[in-house]
Amino acid sequence: MSSIYILGGGGHAKVVASIIKRCGHSVAGFIDPDKEDIFLLTNDMLALGIGNFKVRKEMMYKFGHHRFPAIVDPSAVVIGSVGNGTVVCPFGYVGADSVVGYGCIINTSATVDHDCTVGNYVNINPGVHIGGGTIINSSLYIGMGNSIIHGQSVEGNIKSK
């Protein structure tokens, strides 16, 4: 059983804490990302409990000498791969041969179908469905409930409908 610190303290940090516990690990504590990490040891593991993709990117750089494991809820299905620091929330799905970068959020009931490429620091909000073979550039926000048909290339943020 591992102990993981969570960067952040808001709503997303609470979700990440519950996923960590559901995975059988413990939460070592919450860290204010604006504070120095002087008390952390280099081998301490950190999870990103921050919803904003720009801040997640800054925090992965600031705390880059620590390990950021992927945090995947037990109810999620990951057949493809997800990068370090990525959080896959309850009922998330990452399909066969899909690659999700690091520092991403695959939020509640979001699906990334087969053969997709999702860049780093992408926030895929609840209920988003991404069709097979789609490419999502890094540092993007895909708003709640959106659907992207297969084979698309997404280069800009997509707001909720």
Side-chain angles (χ1 to χ4, degrees), residues 9-26:
H12 188 64
K14 292 174 187 174
V15 170
V16 172
S18 84
I19 294 170
I20 288 170
K21 291 174 186 173
R22 286 167 44 97
C23 290
H25 304 292
S26 64

Side-chain angles (χ1 to χ4, degrees), residues 90-115:
F91 308 109
Y93 175 80
V94 177
D97 296 322
S98 284
V99 177
V100 175
Y102 49 85
C104 295
I105 298 173
I106 308 299
N107 219 313
T108 307
S109 298
T111 62
V112 177
D113 211 353
H114 63 87
D115 300 303

Side-chain angles (χ1 to χ4, degrees), residues 125-144:
N125 278 273
V128 169
H129 301 292
I130 299 173
T134 296
I135 298 170
I136 310 282
N137 282 352
S138 292
S139 300
L140 293 181
Y141 176 92
I142 311 296
M144 185 172 5

